[in-house]
Amino acid sequence: MSLIQLTNVSKSYTDPGSGARVPVLRGITLGISAGESLAIVGPSGCGKSTLLNILGTLDTPDEGEIIFDGESLSQSNAKQLAALRSQKIGFIFQLHHLMPQCSVLENVLLPTLALKSPPTDALQRAEALLEQVGLKDRMNWKPAQLSGGERQRVAFVRALINQPSLILADEPTGALDEANAAALTDLLLKLQKSSGVTLVMVTHHRAQADRMGRVMTIHEGVLS
């Protein structure tokens, strides 16, 4: 079953120097099945992050259609898209973006605050997920007390706390050394499989991409 379908999606930006429109995505058509893991690879500046932002409704295409879980997003307003993001999409970035003043547990629970009706089992779920990633004994620690790999593990758990349908990961291991990157990729795939969530990761590291169920390449805004 398809979770997301993009049809002829294009996106361009205005060059601040010349004022000319610069194409970033060119007629992207892509179907992503529920529960699959997909890597999108390509060099810097090829449109990977723009595509991820469009998948996550953080950006809108100039042309084309996006269908998410059977619903077209063409007529959705900003409030509806924000609700979709908070309920159905989890984000993992290269930089963990943890709140330094909050504990590990508080950081994990932050996404639940955006829900009208936070799940009653959110605390138990957070503790169980932190135990899965080996951080239950650090629940009350602050991010500054953690290693880079541990902070990213917290970011993984935070992305899963609202039980989303889709996880979008933008170079999630890019700030880590090779050994930690491989370990974190293993962990991310383990969490993805155990939860049944759909995972889309963009990366320029082919070795990490090859661990995913499917790999696609983007070059000069064209996906193949």
Side-chain angles (χ1 to χ4, degrees), residues 66-137:
I66 304 171
I67 296 175
F68 189 105
D69 204 12
E71 299 288 335
S72 175
L73 303 185
S74 301
Q75 303 303 317
S76 299
N77 59 35
K79 184 176 181 181
Q80 290 168 327
L81 292 176
L84 173 67
R85 285 193 297 273
S86 65
Q87 295 167 17
K88 295 189 176 183
I89 303 175
F91 296 90
I92 305 171
F93 302 100
Q94 180 173 340
L95 299 177
H96 49 77
H97 296 301
L98 300 180
M99 300 293 287
Q101 71 274 28
C102 295
S103 69
V104 165
L105 182 60
E106 289 167 341
N107 268 288
V108 168
L109 290 171
L110 278 175
T112 67
L113 301 179
L115 301 178
K116 286 185 177 180
S117 301
T120 55
D121 65 343
L123 178 60
Q124 291 80 5
R125 178 171 167 75
E127 292 176 347
L129 284 167
L130 286 169
E131 185 169 22
Q132 281 189 53
V133 302
L135 291 176
K136 191 170 184 180
D137 62 341

Side-chain angles (χ1 to χ4, degrees), residues 110-177:
L110 278 175
T112 67
L113 301 179
L115 301 178
K116 286 185 177 180
S117 301
T120 55
D121 65 343
L123 178 60
Q124 291 80 5
R125 178 171 167 75
E127 292 176 347
L129 284 167
L130 286 169
E131 185 169 22
Q132 281 189 53
V133 302
L135 291 176
K136 191 170 184 180
D137 62 341
R138 289 167 168 75
M139 285 193 302
N140 296 316
W141 290 26
K142 297 292 176 64
Q145 298 173 283
L146 304 176
S147 69
E150 287 171 336
R151 291 173 195 161
Q152 201 65 332
R153 279 188 263 166
V154 177
F156 288 4
V157 171
R158 181 182 58 190
L160 287 165
I161 191 62
N162 282 344
Q163 297 180 280
S165 305
L166 173 68
I167 293 288
L168 299 174
D170 192 355
E171 300 281 4
T173 61
L176 304 174
D177 61 50

